[in-house]
Amino acid sequence: MRALDLVHDTIKKYIKPGDICVDATMGRGYDTSYLSELVGEKGKVISFDIQQSALDSTRQLLKDRGQSNCELILDSHENMCKYVEEDSVSCILFNLGYLPSGNHNIYTHAKSTIKAIEAGLKLLKKDGIMCVSIYYGGDSGYEERDELLPYLRNMDDGKYQVIMASFYNWKNDPPIPVFITKV
Ligand SMILES: C[S@@+](CC[C@H](N)C(=O)[O-])C[C@H]1O[C@@H](n2cnc3c(N)ncnc32)[C@H](O)[C@@H]1O
């Protein structure tokens, strides 16, 4: 099983047609497209990335797939509260790291990721889910992982449930999918 399959299978239980979802790291648009399918024509996906090439690829993917319920925003996910109403979102996805087939020097960083997680928790509905997939390895991502893991472990257990999945016997820098719900 890929991390992506685990994430997609898990989040679909939390999303119904007509819902609003956020893709905090749009990249090439595959997660945005998956969310778009789940929320359907009456729903909406709001997606963020700081790179124009991510928006261009995503726009093309959505066009090819005939999906028109997504708003693509060129801004850091830290600022998502400017664009999305509080307590309105069923699912927020973070897929950390760099843009596949893009510039490896532009990637997510713990400080802004943590600000974005905190912003996202304000937007998330009581019965919603946030998923943060921590990708690291090769030339980047270790520092972000090392700051994020203690942050996640220390989240208030009176307010949030944090579940982490482990690819336990995978030797080379396995991704870490983390699921956060409100209690
Ligand atoms: C691993 S990719 C995401 C892959 C994507 N989910 C997909 O389906 O193709 C990570 C993305 O996060 C973006 N990113 C980095 N820092 C960001 C920030 N502060 N706000 C929003 N996106 C950011 C990168 O530009 C990159 O496109």
Side-chain angles (χ1 to χ4, degrees), residues 4 23-32 48-51 54 58 75-78 94-100 106-109 112-113 135:
L4 180 77
D23 184 355
T25 50
M26 184 187 324
R28 301 289 177 202
Y30 294 102
D31 288 321
T32 293
F48 295 87
D49 208 292
I50 50 171
Q51 298 192 66
T58 301
D75 197 355
S76 172
H77 41 218
E78 290 156 88
F94 290 81
N95 204 329
L96 304 179
Y98 52 76
L99 181 64
I106 304 175
Y107 48 86
T108 52
H109 293 273
S112 44
T113 299
Y135 284 89

Side-chain angles (χ1 to χ4, degrees), residues 24-25 50 76-80 92-98 106-122 130-135 141 143-149 151-152 155 176 178 180:
T25 50
I50 50 171
S76 172
H77 41 218
E78 290 156 88
N79 299 322
M80 63 173 90
I92 304 181
L93 287 186
F94 290 81
N95 204 329
L96 304 179
Y98 52 76
I106 304 175
Y107 48 86
T108 52
H109 293 273
K111 272 195 180 42
S112 44
T113 299
I114 289 171
K115 281 189 191 160
I117 290 173
E118 286 175 355
L121 291 170
K122 291 186 190 150
M130 176 182 287
C131 176
V132 183
S133 294
I134 308 173
Y135 284 89
E143 285 172 19
E144 182 172 46
R145 176 199 63 183
D146 292 346
E147 272 193 58
L148 270 179
L149 292 180
Y151 165 79
L152 293 164
M155 284 179 77
I176 308 172
V178 180
I180 305 170

Side-chain angles (χ1 to χ4, degrees), residues 5-15 34 129 179:
D5 300 320
L6 177 64
V7 169
H8 283 189
D9 284 352
T10 304
I11 62 171
K12 73 180 176 202
K13 300 181 190 87
Y14 290 80
I15 302 171
Y34 181 69
I129 188 164
F179 301 95

